[in-house]
Amino acid sequence: MKDSRTPRGTAASGTCETPTDLKRVLGLPTAILLVAGIMIGSGVFKKIVPMAQTLPSQELILFAWIAAGVITMFGAFTYAGLSTLTTESGGIYEYLRLIYGDLVSFLFGWSVFTIFGSGALAALSFVFAQSVNTLIPLPFGGWGIKILAVLTIAVLTWWNIRGIRRGGILNNIVTSAKIAGILALIISALLFSRTAAAHALWAPASGLASDPAGAAAAGLSQISGTGWISGFIGAMLSALWAYDGWANITYITGEITNPRRNVPYAILGGVSIAMALYVLLNYGYMRVMPVSQLSRLGTDQIAAAEVAGVLMGKTGTVTISALIMACTFSALNGCLITYARVYFRMAQENVFFKPVGKVHPTTRTPHISLIYSAIASMVLVCSGTFDQITNLIVFASYGYFGITAFGLVRMKMKGRITSKVIGYPVIPWVIILFCATLMINTIVTQPRQSAIGLLLILSGVPFYLYFKRRVRG
């Protein structure tokens, strides 16, 4: 009997493609831009506000961004080791299947369908539509925004059904444009010099703007003691949300050329680009506006828009809205491409709806899976529940991150992974301890959201039993 945990995409199976296979057409540059495009969404434009509210120190805020980037890079090293297990699509789902079996991997895939994937697609499409509404007021108020979000998902789904190469080209164009826009904003902020008028504008609110060194010292004194630990963890959570999505490239392993080499390099390259942009951009924010002023912004205010307003006047809001449009559109396109491959792989393993495992005979894309993914996210957009779901993403995703890192240790001990893994065994254990700490902190500080997240994950058990019973029948 065939072992259900044997990877199909190994060297033993060869590299010949059949009409039921996906096409390996994405090279390393496109893969790097996919990682960067998915990561760089709207978070980097807004997360400085909650971070400034919990860490009134420029140095600690920058350190939180760097620390979150280092943790993400550690994850890249870990997944580089796991990528030698298989060249099949599905990424983390496939790694978990090979390590722990069908139930654990199914619950991960189910979490992607109910939390990560659908929630992220709904949120990104909604923010994109909001950005359009800022530039061009839409009819029908809030429903106009939802209608545009749904139409955007539908159009991008149609585009990606026509071929993975088309989706990659679109991603390359939009991601390159948004990186150029962010670099322009960074350069403007770094060249900014506070004039006497700027001092007069910010000094009454902060009382510290005229003395940056004193502001930093005062900020550090405000968070001395044990309080800074919880504040720093909270700031890191905000940063980790902005870094989220770096592992999505593993989901399309089956469509990347030379995946054992290119998938790890794509993650490292994409994370490096995002990390450099995030640190420089946040430094630029705090160069233009003091931390104390940023902390006073409301939750409905976009920090980047306020900074751009100082730099460019009224055109700043328009510029940032256009930049957020490009960022969310690019991230939405990348997520549409990647998440559908998880459901496709689940259907291939007979633990999801059977039609989802079909490949389009002409374009060689998982067209039914793309349609399922689009419908699920459209429902969340119309219901307005995606905000509650996206709050659970970091909690659930880092739980799986931890057990995936432990899986690397397990496979190395069993001799299933013989290649050298950067930082092994220190880095996997750092990730395991970090994820455990993050989960415990989240459960203690947000017990209700943690319970909801756990229930959503476990809600997949009846479906898993149904799919397994159907296969036996």
Side-chain angles (χ1 to χ4, degrees):
M1 178 179 294
K2 179 184 176 182
D3 182 0
S4 63
R5 289 187 288 176
T6 299
R8 297 194 311 148
T10 59
S13 63
T15 57
C16 296
E17 294 179 349
T18 70
T20 59
D21 290 332
L22 304 176
K23 296 177 69 174
R24 293 191 185 277
V25 296
L26 299 182
L28 181 58
T30 297
I32 291 174
L33 287 177
L34 262 173
V35 175
I38 293 171
M39 291 177 66
I40 305 171
S42 61
V44 69
F45 301 109
K46 299 165 33 175
K47 289 302 182 181
I48 186 67
V49 173
M51 294 174 79
Q53 291 169 349
T54 56
L55 287 179
S57 163
Q58 174 177 303
E59 293 80 3
L60 284 177
I61 289 174
L62 291 177
F63 184 63
W65 281 104
I66 294 171
V70 169
I71 290 293
T72 304
M73 196 66 75
F74 283 0
F77 297 151
T78 300
Y79 285 0
L82 288 169
S83 66
T84 62
L85 285 173
T86 179
T87 58
E88 197 70 38
S89 291
I92 302 170
Y93 166 83
E94 188 68 4
Y95 305 155
L96 292 174
R97 188 183 72 84
L98 297 172
I99 297 167
Y100 299 109
D102 290 343
L103 177 58
V104 174
S105 61
F106 173 82
L107 290 179
F108 171 79
W110 183 255
S111 300
V112 173
F113 188 65
T114 57
I115 302 176
F116 312 154
S118 302
L121 292 176
L124 287 168
S125 64
F126 193 82
V127 173
F128 170 76
Q130 282 181 319
S131 301
V132 174
N133 187 56
T134 301
L135 295 176
I136 308 171
L138 299 171
F140 312 120
W143 273 105
I145 294 175
K146 290 183 178 180
I147 291 170
L148 178 58
V150 167
L151 289 175
T152 304
I153 293 172
V155 170
L156 282 178
T157 300
W158 167 78
W159 179 261
N160 283 289
I161 286 175
R162 299 181 67 194
I164 183 67
R165 193 188 297 274
R166 290 174 179 268
I169 292 172
L170 178 62
N171 174 81
N172 292 348
I173 295 171
V174 182
T175 300
S176 298
K178 75 179 182 182
I179 289 175
I182 292 173
L183 285 174
L185 182 58
I186 289 171
I187 292 170
S188 298
L190 294 180
L191 295 177
F192 175 76
S193 176
R194 290 182 187 171
T195 62
H199 278 295
L201 177 63
W202 303 125
S206 65
L208 298 169
S210 61
D211 183 11
L220 288 170
S221 66
Q222 291 175 24
I223 55 176
S224 60
T226 57
W228 76 270
I229 298 176
S230 61
F232 187 77
I233 292 176
M236 275 195 68
L237 283 174
S238 294
L240 286 170
W241 165 255
Y243 279 107
D244 192 52
W246 58 272
N248 283 30
I249 193 69
T250 65
Y251 301 151
I252 58 170
T253 301
E255 291 156 286
I256 295 177
T257 60
N258 194 7
R260 286 195 172 93
R261 170 186 175 272
N262 289 342
V263 169
Y265 283 170
I267 296 176
L268 292 172
V271 171
S272 298
I273 291 171
M275 185 176 176
L277 293 177
Y278 287 177
V279 173
L280 288 173
L281 187 56
N282 280 273
Y283 175 73
Y285 292 156
M286 292 180 287
R287 181 178 172 82
V288 177
M289 294 176 66
V291 175
S292 57
Q293 186 66 29
L294 288 167
S295 68
R296 297 176 191 273
L297 296 179
T299 55
D300 58 337
Q301 291 178 281
I302 299 174
E306 301 298 319
V307 170
V310 176
L311 294 171
M312 294 174 276
K314 292 182 179 180
T315 60
T317 301
V318 175
T319 301
I320 290 300
S321 294
L323 190 54
I324 293 177
M325 280 174 54
C327 288
T328 51
F329 187 83
S330 172
L332 176 61
N333 180 63
C335 288
L336 273 166
I337 292 172
T338 55
Y339 286 127
R341 271 62 180 179
V342 178
Y343 320 140
F344 168 76
R345 187 73 184 105
M346 292 168 69
Q348 284 189 319
E349 292 299 317
N350 296 312
V351 288
F352 207 59
F353 304 102
K354 191 173 182 179
V356 176
K358 292 183 178 180
V359 175
H360 195 284
T362 304
T363 63
R364 301 272 289 278
T365 56
H367 57 301
I368 304 297
S369 183
L370 283 162
I371 293 171
Y372 268 62
S373 179
I375 292 173
S377 57
M378 289 175 183
V379 169
L380 289 181
V381 169
C382 295
S383 65
T385 58
F386 58 88
D387 277 331
Q388 293 83 354
I389 289 177
T390 53
N391 290 335
L392 308 173
I393 289 179
V394 171
F395 168 76
S397 63
Y398 276 83
Y400 285 113
F401 190 14
I403 65 172
T404 305
F406 182 74
L408 173 64
V409 176
R410 185 177 176 184
M411 290 293 100
K412 286 289 284 185
M413 292 177 66
K414 287 185 174 182
R416 293 282 299 277
I417 296 177
T418 57
S419 59
K420 183 179 178 181
V421 178
I422 299 176
Y424 180 86
V426 176
I427 285 179
W429 280 110
V430 169
I431 292 173
I432 293 166
L433 293 174
F434 172 78
C435 291
T437 303
L438 183 62
M439 295 289 288
I440 292 170
N441 180 75
T442 306
I443 290 170
V444 171
T445 58
Q446 303 177 39
R448 182 174 177 273
Q449 285 187 337
S450 302
I452 293 173
L454 186 60
L455 288 174
L456 276 174
I457 293 171
L458 294 178
S459 68
V461 173
F463 288 89
Y464 174 78
L465 296 175
Y466 163 74
F467 290 125
K468 282 296 184 181
R469 188 178 301 113
R470 182 192 64 182
V471 172
R472 286 196 298 268

